[in-house]
Amino acid sequence: MPERGPLMKRTMVTGLRSTARAAATAVIALGVGLGLLAGSAAAKDIVWARYGDIDTLDPHRATSTLSLQVWSLLYDTLLAVDASGKPVPHIAKSWSVSADGTEYTLALNDGVLCHDGSPLDANDVKYTVDRAFDAANPSVTQASWGPITAAEVVDRLTVKLKLKTPFVALVPFLADSFSSILCDSNQGKAGFGTSVAIGSGPWSLVSWTKGDRIVMARNPAYRNFGKLAENKGAPYMDGLVITTVPEPQARLAGLKTGAIHIAEPPLDDVPALKKSGDLKIVVAENTGQNVFWEFAVHRPPFNDKRARQAVAHATDAAAAIELVYGDLAIPEKCPISRGVFANDQDFCAKHGQPYDPAKAKALLAELGYGPNKPLDTTLIAWTGGKRDKLAEVFQAQLGEVGIRAKIEIMDIGTMNARVRQENEKKDGPGSMDMMTWSWYDPDILYALWHSPGAYRGYTTPELDAMLEKTRVLTDEGARRAAVQDVMKHLLENAVHVPLYTPGWEWVFAVRPEVAGFKVAPFVYPVFNDVKL
């Protein structure tokens, strides 16, 4: 680990003291709240505490993992994934693709019921697709659906998706919660996305109190055709309460008293918890998540790639995550996560910007920055998972080379909106952010960086053409080469600077009386098998 300067040492000590004070305050302040939670959750309810709340119950209006996890409980998807993350049949029992790759015909299982008792059929799939492509208000992940031109109802249990051009990432997308099937009885319902969410998933919505909790009830009619659960019918427990408890020590207190059954524990306490055996520790694998630097590139200083490269060369991600997370995270060299098709650590290391403070200083000097003129920027990150501490370590690393970063921490929904605002501004101080996306396929790069871009950031015609190529190549070797061309461009231009692949966020502490809890690939907790 490289030697650290005095600025980093002061930042770390101050941060640790602040954390201790905040944790003590949180345990006292939230103790009453945990007691109320214990009293309000029925004996046959599962209580899952998370650091933050969802953005919306509408799968077309958000991108956060916190939201995705809830959608996976309320709604079904046409396909599911097996333990390795490979797409398998689910609501669609089979599918076929035309010779030219522009038509996907899916045969649906019969007997699937929406929460309101209406049958889920091809009309619901068509409603969902049409809504995702609504010209007035399309899904925020419309690009990830691919070039679909129409959803055609062939008969009650057969639907055909027509595409303008081939799209090899469609099948895995249909196993992801972004493609959740919305029952067409949601149409015209006041409060859809806030107080209404009619799906066919294992749990139905009872209520959502924003910032507090989501209450769900067991769906007695649920049928599991492909999800990762041994139980092929309705969940065993009566209800599921997902409560927002921001402070790690408060979640741990709830776990110890039994008010909470499952939660992310304080990461510093994980080794001791493992040793004691008082709580089971489940670490999610194959998360598909990638944490990275991105920049507001339409104004100085980050419209010049040398400024972006300087940040990359100043960042020692391996040392930072070792300090903050220990072995719960690993450095990432690629713009796509480990376990995702075409990830190659050696290839990405060859084209990335390695930790090199001297190189960072030299690039800054070329831009006119130096000891008496630091480069000023805002560093935006989101709440939870000790990201505030990680941001402070990165802030200190940047400070060592002459980059003065002002940290701003906010919830993920606010951060996503803020990043887009920063990209749309033509003047003002520089801005960079520590972003994360979870995805199962390299098509994440299209969603992020193809014009107009997920956050209206860096795009070029050259990159657009390369990204389009990754979507149509059916030969595995040719597609791998195309994806690597894209990654080379992003890395050499320091557009997407990989930091790490987390397990940090998705460490679950589970009380001993809880049996059957599991986490599917891409960080989807499964409660169908849970018994208390």
Side-chain angles (χ1 to χ4, degrees):
M1 187 180 296
E3 185 175 340
R4 308 190 179 284
L7 174 60
M8 180 172 289
K9 293 175 182 175
R10 288 197 302 272
T11 302
M12 288 161 49
V13 171
T14 301
L16 291 171
R17 288 173 180 165
S18 299
T19 300
R21 287 195 298 270
T25 302
V27 171
I28 294 169
L30 290 173
V32 175
L34 289 172
L36 290 173
L37 177 62
S40 63
K44 293 186 178 181
D45 288 349
I46 308 160
V47 180
W48 174 27
R50 304 192 300 173
Y51 69 84
D53 198 4
I54 64 172
D55 302 294
T56 174
L57 295 165
D58 182 350
H60 296 167
R61 300 272 71 84
T63 61
S64 71
T65 302
L66 290 173
S67 297
L68 284 170
Q69 290 176 328
V70 173
W71 301 338
S72 74
L73 305 171
L74 291 170
Y75 306 106
D76 263 321
T77 45
L78 289 168
L79 308 181
V81 295
D82 62 16
S84 68
K86 179 183 176 182
V88 295
H90 183 42
I91 298 304
K93 61 184 178 181
S94 64
W95 67 90
S96 60
V97 186
S98 63
D100 65 357
T102 62
E103 289 189 354
Y104 286 71
T105 304
L106 300 108
L108 310 183
N109 276 298
D110 198 4
V112 180
L113 295 180
C114 296
H115 296 149
D116 61 357
S118 61
L120 187 148
D121 58 25
N123 292 295
D124 300 284
V125 178
K126 176 175 171 54
Y127 166 71
T128 300
V129 176
D130 288 349
R131 188 175 185 273
F133 284 84
D134 177 49
N137 192 24
S139 169
V140 294
T141 54
Q142 178 186 351
S144 297
W145 288 81
I148 294 176
T149 57
E152 177 184 301
V153 174
V154 178
D155 58 43
R156 189 175 70 85
L157 295 176
T158 309
V159 64
K160 181 178 291 185
L161 302 180
K162 296 185 175 182
L163 286 70
K164 183 178 180 180
T165 56
F167 177 49
V168 295
L170 178 60
V171 167
F173 178 72
L174 295 180
D176 189 81
S177 283
F178 283 124
S179 69
S180 295
I181 306 170
L182 307 178
C183 295
D184 58 14
S185 47
N186 286 295
Q187 187 170 10
K189 283 275 176 45
F192 176 70
T194 54
S195 59
V196 176
I198 304 170
S200 61
W203 305 92
S204 62
L205 179 69
V206 175
S207 64
W208 173 28
T209 305
K210 193 169 179 62
D212 181 15
R213 71 192 63 183
I214 301 166
V215 180
M216 301 183 186
R218 170 182 181 269
N219 174 11
Y222 183 68
R223 297 178 65 188
N224 174 22
F225 296 100
K227 294 278 189 178
L228 270 178
E230 295 178 13
N231 176 11
K232 299 306 177 184
Y236 296 123
M237 303 303 295
D238 289 343
L240 173 62
V241 178
I242 306 173
T243 182
T244 301
V245 182
E247 289 298 335
Q249 290 297 334
R251 293 194 297 272
L252 182 59
L255 284 163
K256 289 182 175 179
T257 64
I260 292 169
H261 298 119
I262 301 166
E264 175 199 353
L267 299 184
D268 291 337
D269 292 354
V270 169
L273 291 172
K274 283 183 176 179
K275 186 175 181 181
S276 72
D278 294 337
L279 298 169
K280 292 178 284 187
I281 300 297
V282 178
V283 179
E285 299 179 356
N286 195 9
T287 66
Q289 293 194 318
N290 187 291
V291 181
F292 55 96
W293 290 135
E294 62 176 350
F295 308 89
V297 298
H298 302 309
R299 65 179 187 271
F302 297 122
N303 59 341
D304 191 312
K305 75 175 182 179
R306 291 173 295 178
R308 305 192 299 266
Q309 290 171 331
V311 170
H313 285 305
T315 303
D316 187 351
I321 64 172
E322 172 65 26
L323 183 65
V324 177
Y325 299 128
D327 62 357
L328 297 178
I330 53 177
E332 179 55 67
K333 303 295 185 185
C334 290
I336 54 177
S337 182
R338 295 170 193 243
V340 174
F341 174 78
N343 179 292
D344 184 328
Q345 296 293 297
D346 292 337
F347 174 88
C348 294
K350 179 180 177 181
H351 297 287
Q353 316 290 325
Y355 176 57
D356 186 343
K359 178 66 172 176
K361 289 179 180 178
L363 287 167
L364 291 170
E366 289 180 20
L367 293 168
Y369 299 102
N372 299 318
K373 185 185 176 183
L375 184 156
D376 285 311
T377 185
T378 301
L379 192 169
I380 304 170
W382 79 108
T383 54
K386 294 178 70 175
R387 277 175 295 274
D388 55 341
K389 300 299 110 191
L390 187 65
E392 289 176 359
V393 176
F394 285 140
Q395 179 190 51
Q397 290 179 350
L398 296 172
E400 294 288 341
V401 303
I403 299 173
R404 188 163 58 191
K406 176 187 175 184
I407 297 172
E408 293 189 22
I409 307 289
M410 58 198 69
D411 69 85
I412 187 65
T414 302
M415 175 176 156
N416 286 337
R418 171 68 179 279
V419 169
R420 178 165 175 170
Q421 290 171 0
E422 291 292 340
N423 279 324
E424 292 175 339
K425 289 165 56 176
K426 300 301 181 184
D427 51 31
S431 179
M432 57 185 284
D433 59 272
M434 185 165 59
M435 181 58 73
T436 183
W437 271 51
S438 176
W439 213 251
Y440 46 82
D441 186 271
D443 199 55
I444 183 179
L445 301 178
Y446 186 99
L448 282 168
W449 305 117
H450 188 278
S451 298
Y455 302 107
R456 304 302 188 265
Y458 180 95
T459 58
T460 68
E462 176 191 5
L463 181 56
D464 282 353
M466 289 192 289
L467 286 163
E468 287 159 12
K469 192 175 177 182
T470 67
R471 305 188 113 194
V472 299
L473 294 169
T474 56
D475 177 78
E476 187 173 292
R479 189 179 187 226
R480 182 185 302 274
V483 171
Q484 290 187 340
D485 285 344
V486 170
M487 293 196 296
K488 177 182 176 182
H489 182 94
L490 295 172
L491 292 166
E492 290 184 346
N493 288 282
V495 172
H496 181 137
V497 179
L499 296 172
Y500 60 103
T501 292
W504 48 267
E505 185 85 64
W506 308 119
V507 179
F508 300 85
V510 183
R511 282 191 56 82
E513 70 268 25
V514 177
F517 174 73
K518 60 174 63 71
V519 184
F522 314 120
V523 206
Y524 287 113
V526 180
F527 297 93
N528 298 40
D529 293 335
V530 170
K531 294 180 180 180
L532 301 182

